[in-house]
Amino acid sequence: MTTTSVLFLCPDNSLLGPLAEAYLNARGGGLLRAFSAGLHPAQRLNRHVPRLLSALGIDSDGLAPKPVDIFLLPHAIVPDRVIYLADMAPVPQPAFWKATTSSHWWSIAGKPPIPESFGACAGYCGKVKAAIDRLVEPLHPWVA
């Protein structure tokens, strides 16, 4: 069985992308592999990410903001899907990416700056979780 790779993109890869990456990796059951990156990566994760993921039973170790540029290099993982989590322009896909790589806009958040209060971050986490649950459930109902 092949693994489908998903690249989540967001403006700074400090909140939305890491939440989506960690949650999809936890829910994907080995059939889906998630990565995340940002157009202008922050210096560190949003301070609420560990707490939000912990509430879902997911460890935040290893998560860090990454630039999208690392996924545009010739030897990088080529995603099957690119999912934009905020209102943002698409990233030009390199010629070596698969012709079947598809782009999707979930628009979890609007244009930056994204509010950083715990309540706002918890709301984004809920939206990310619901969108991933919709993605995973119809395709893989056996994944817990």
Side-chain angles (χ1 to χ4, degrees):
M1 215 175 252
T2 62
T3 300
T4 299
S5 61
V6 177
L7 175 59
F8 290 104
L9 292 179
C10 61
D12 68 3
N13 198 225
S14 70
L15 174 69
L16 302 173
L19 289 173
E21 175 183 352
Y23 189 69
L24 183 58
N25 283 333
R27 288 291 322 267
L31 299 175
L32 300 164
R33 179 69 176 116
F35 303 90
S36 68
L39 298 180
H40 307 287
Q43 295 294 322
R44 64 188 66 80
L45 284 179
N46 177 290
R47 63 191 171 112
H48 302 301
V49 168
R51 179 176 170 194
L52 293 167
L53 289 175
S54 178
L56 298 172
I58 300 170
D59 192 358
S60 63
D61 287 349
L63 291 176
K66 300 169 287 300
V68 70
D69 298 348
I70 65 173
F71 293 95
L72 304 178
L73 296 171
H75 299 340
I77 291 172
V78 176
D80 296 297
R81 288 186 178 189
V82 177
I83 299 176
Y84 294 87
L85 298 172
D87 293 339
M88 52 197 284
V91 172
Q93 293 186 3
F96 62 86
W97 278 17
K98 304 170 195 169
T100 57
T101 296
S102 60
S103 296
H104 309 270
W105 278 261
W106 284 3
S107 296
I108 300 294
K111 293 187 182 294
I114 295 171
E116 293 192 21
S117 70
F118 181 77
C121 293
Y124 291 130
C125 185
K127 289 179 181 181
V128 165
K129 181 182 178 301
I132 289 172
D133 287 344
R134 284 190 302 273
L135 176 72
V136 172
E137 291 298 331
L139 299 175
H140 312 288
W142 61 88
V143 177

